[in-house]
Amino acid sequence: EAIHCWRIYIRESTHRPQRCRYCRYKVKLAIIPWHEVASLWDEVRPLIEPAVALTDGAWEIWDVLNRLICNEADLWIIRRDGKIDGCCVAMIINYPSKRIYALTFIGGSGLKDWLQFEHVIGDWAKTQGCVAMEGCDARNGAWGRVLPGWHKAHTTIRRNLD
C-alpha cells in the first residue's frame, strides 16, 4: 500500500509542494486565493454542485461563487497529479462567544483518502482565530463516522413556509 504524502500549498508562502519519495502520486492540498477562483471554477463547480443541491434552495451555486470571489469564503482543493479530485468551501462564522470555521460544502472523489488530513485545515483555521470547525452532515451521520474527533453537536430540521 502506498503512503500518500500531503502538503499544504498557500500561494503567499515560500513552501513548495514536493513529490514525497514514498508516494506514487503528486498530491497537494491548496487554499486558492480569491483572485484565482474564477480560473478554476469550471473544474470546481461540478464537485460543489451536489452539496449545494442539498441546501433545499438556501444556496445557489452562484451564491457560492460570489462568496469566494468577494473573499468571504475560502476554497480548498485537493489536486492529484494535476487534476482536482476534491474541494471544500469554508467560511469563518463569528458567533457571539466563538469564532468557528464552517466547512460549508465538500465534494469530490476519493474523500476518504484525503479527509484524514483535515487537521491541516484546522491548523490554518486556528491561525485565523477559530476555536472549532463545524459542518452539516446531510447523509445519516456519515461525516461523524469517518472523521475522528468530530461529534454530533446538533441536528438541523426545516419546515418550508409555503
Side-chain angles (χ1 to χ4, degrees), residues 18-138:
Q18 301 172 0
R19 184 182 298 268
C20 177
R21 64 182 174 181
Y22 304 108
C23 294
R24 59 185 171 171
Y25 302 112
K26 187 173 183 180
V27 180
K28 294 187 282 188
L29 170 64
I31 185 170
I32 305 302
W34 64 269
H35 53 83
E36 293 185 18
V37 169
S39 66
L40 295 173
W41 187 244
D42 288 341
E43 289 181 82
V44 170
R45 179 182 173 170
L47 301 175
I48 297 173
E49 280 182 316
V52 173
L54 294 173
T55 68
D56 196 25
W59 287 82
E60 297 293 332
I61 195 67
W62 302 112
D63 300 323
V64 176
L65 178 60
N66 185 52
R67 290 282 177 107
L68 290 168
I69 62 175
C70 289
N71 204 21
E72 296 173 358
D74 300 316
L75 176 62
W76 293 85
I77 63 167
I78 293 291
R79 191 181 288 274
R80 184 188 313 247
D81 287 334
K83 178 183 176 283
I84 297 176
D85 275 354
C87 62
C88 172
V89 175
M91 298 172 225
I92 293 174
I93 299 176
N94 291 304
Y95 290 111
S97 300
K98 289 184 178 182
R99 189 170 213 196
I100 305 286
Y101 200 52
L103 308 180
T104 310
F105 302 109
I106 299 174
S109 61
L111 293 175
K112 283 188 179 179
D113 291 337
W114 56 267
L115 283 177
Q116 62 184 309
F117 299 100
E118 54 85 25
H119 70 276
V120 176
I121 296 174
D123 291 344
W124 184 88
K126 283 183 197 176
T127 69
Q128 305 303 304
C130 297
V131 297
M133 292 193 304
E134 69 180 20
C136 288
D137 191 351

